[in-house]
Amino acid sequence: MDWRQRRDNTNVRLLLELAAELGVPARQCLANTGLQDRPFEELSSLQLWQELAVIRNLVAQHSQPGTGLRLGQRYHLTSLGLLGYTMLASRSLMDAIEITSQFRPLAMSICPVNLHPDKSGLWMVLDASVLPEDARCLVVERGMAAWKCVYSELLQRPFVPLAIEICVPSAGPAELYNAHFECAADMNAARNAMLIAWEDLHSALPLANAMTQRTCANLCQHLCDSLDDIQAPLARQVLQSLMSHSGRIHPARDVAGWLGLSERTLHRRLALEGHPFRQLDERVRRNLAERLLGDTTLGLDSIAQQLGYAEAASFSRAFKRWAGCSPDQWRRQRSTRPLSALAGALADMSYENRL
């Protein structure tokens, strides 16, 4: 596990919401995470170790079995952002699960998920061995309860697994899990797993839309690819921070502040990794510029504004330096389906859902 991997703040936000209901102060949940010194709303992303620390802090204050079940019920397709829309537009539940595996960096699970076919269906196995023992019960309960909620939304009907297996310290009695999942819970198992029937896996999803699914999947791939060739840990954090704060041109001192570093330290460590800050900054802006030019019909003034430039001329000069041609020339060379089609498809899906 790369515990320095960054995620958006969804998981921790939901943890803090549940903690408030349980009477556990946020300051106790955020202790020793480095997150307690600024308003949580300003934190667009954080590292996995910080989420794990919040989990352990909550468990230390409230270790009752079933807490993870309550947490998992808070998850919905919208919690998964673009990945959620991609799953919603998939042909079947099996396709949606495969999409989740394909774009695992965009999923919300904190530990690895493995798939094992069975004559009755598909086992989804949570590998909790990467977690300290005190965190395993909550994380496993949360993961399985979240699957139940999300798969019910995908199928547009209650989803009931064929069976579940629980193997964590401090787990509750079988009756707790039998009642929640409406199926038999094996408490003497050697793993943590959920069995999904083939009938459910191959059921056609009511809101399937092939065009929307392809377009969303392409965008998910774009998000994953944007980090693929950068392995240096600090450079990856800088890229993720810049992508999360697109819409303005941010100097190095801003990014250093988000990461809890001095500007001098940021430049020194990036130089050691071989990825100067300016190079990373221009990479993010160029990627976003090409996406807006290729996948939308926005004018140069609007694109310049979205990228943080004061005027289109400044953006055009920067783009020509990156690509060797003007934005208009680059756009003429491209012939891609506009994202307005995606917006229309999502609107149609939303309308159908309301019906």
Side-chain angles (χ1 to χ4, degrees):
M1 287 292 295
D2 177 9
W3 292 105
R4 293 190 176 275
Q5 181 184 344
R6 297 193 77 85
R7 295 275 181 87
D8 70 26
N9 66 14
T10 301
N11 281 350
V12 172
R13 176 174 54 79
L14 295 178
L15 279 161
L16 293 179
E17 289 177 3
L18 177 61
E21 290 185 6
L22 296 174
V24 180
R27 68 178 182 278
Q28 292 184 5
C29 291
L30 297 176
N32 302 313
T33 64
L35 304 174
Q36 65 271 29
D37 298 328
R38 57 190 298 187
F40 184 75
E41 297 75 18
E42 295 180 6
L43 296 169
S44 59
S45 66
L46 43 85
Q47 295 182 10
L48 283 186
W49 74 264
Q50 293 172 307
E51 178 187 339
L52 179 59
V54 174
I55 290 170
R56 300 183 75 183
N57 287 338
L58 176 57
V59 170
Q61 298 296 320
H62 187 92
S63 59
Q64 183 176 344
T67 301
L69 301 180
R70 292 179 60 178
L71 181 60
Q73 288 177 303
R74 295 171 178 267
Y75 284 82
H76 302 281
L77 284 166
T78 51
S79 306
L80 299 172
L82 182 59
L83 179 61
Y85 279 113
T86 312
M87 295 171 68
L88 188 64
S90 299
R91 293 175 302 172
S92 66
L93 183 57
M94 187 70 194
D95 285 349
I97 291 172
E98 289 176 348
I99 282 289
T100 307
S101 297
Q102 182 181 353
F103 301 118
R104 189 161 291 169
L106 304 180
M108 307 304 289
S109 177
I110 197 174
C111 57
V113 179
N114 301 305
L115 306 179
H116 298 288
D118 179 272
K119 62 181 181 181
S120 303
L122 181 73
W123 284 102
M124 293 186 65
V125 183
L126 276 165
D127 180 8
S129 64
V130 301
L131 303 172
E133 284 196 3
D134 59 346
R136 291 179 187 175
C137 184
L138 185 144
V139 171
V140 167
E141 289 181 348
R142 176 183 70 173
M144 292 188 181
W147 289 342
K148 191 175 193 308
C149 287
V150 169
Y151 297 164
S152 294
E153 289 184 354
L154 288 171
L155 293 165
Q156 298 283 288
R157 58 175 170 79
F159 162 71
V160 178
L162 288 179
I164 60 169
E165 297 179 347
I166 304 288
C167 177
V168 290
S170 307
E175 292 76 18
L176 173 67
Y177 306 106
N178 292 343
H180 184 88
F181 294 102
E182 305 173 78
C183 68
D186 181 357
M187 306 304 295
N188 298 312
R191 60 183 182 176
N192 299 289
M194 174 182 286
L195 179 60
I196 305 173
W198 288 119
E199 181 181 356
D200 285 333
L201 289 164
H202 294 307
S203 293
L205 298 187
L207 298 181
N209 185 305
M211 184 198 73
T212 299
Q213 202 264 3
R214 271 196 312 273
T215 307
C216 287
N218 287 338
L219 293 178
C220 287
Q221 188 65 58
H222 176 87
L223 291 175
C224 292
D225 287 347
S226 62
L227 292 175
D228 265 0
D229 62 328
I230 300 291
Q231 299 302 319
L234 182 58
R236 287 176 69 90
Q237 291 179 45
V238 169
L239 282 176
Q240 289 168 327
S241 295
L242 289 168
M243 286 188 289
S244 298
H245 294 82
S246 61
R248 282 187 57 192
I249 297 177
H250 293 282
R253 65 176 176 273
D254 287 354
V255 179
W258 300 333
L259 299 177
L261 303 171
S262 69
E263 182 178 356
R264 183 176 179 180
T265 299
L266 178 72
H267 283 301
R268 177 176 57 81
R269 288 177 55 184
L270 287 176
L272 290 173
E273 290 183 349
H275 297 288
F277 176 81
R278 180 177 177 180
Q279 180 186 89
L280 298 173
D281 179 45
E282 292 193 343
R283 172 182 173 137
V284 170
R285 282 188 280 137
R286 176 176 179 174
N287 283 354
L288 184 55
E290 290 181 351
R291 182 171 148 196
L292 292 171
L293 285 167
D295 295 340
T296 77
T297 56
L298 291 174
L300 294 189
D301 286 330
S302 297
I303 293 176
Q305 184 177 13
Q306 291 203 34
L307 293 172
Y309 290 93
E311 56 184 8
S314 300
F315 162 62
S316 294
R317 286 193 295 270
F319 189 86
K320 190 169 185 178
R321 186 174 71 251
W322 303 330
C325 62
S326 72
D328 285 333
Q329 290 172 322
W330 190 94
R331 179 173 255 170
R332 284 196 294 269
Q333 294 168 4
R334 294 268 296 182
S335 177
T336 59
R337 180 173 59 254
L339 272 182
S340 56
L342 168 60
L346 292 178
D348 289 344
M349 291 167 64
S350 177
Y351 176 75
E352 291 170 9
N353 198 20
R354 290 195 298 272
L355 293 180

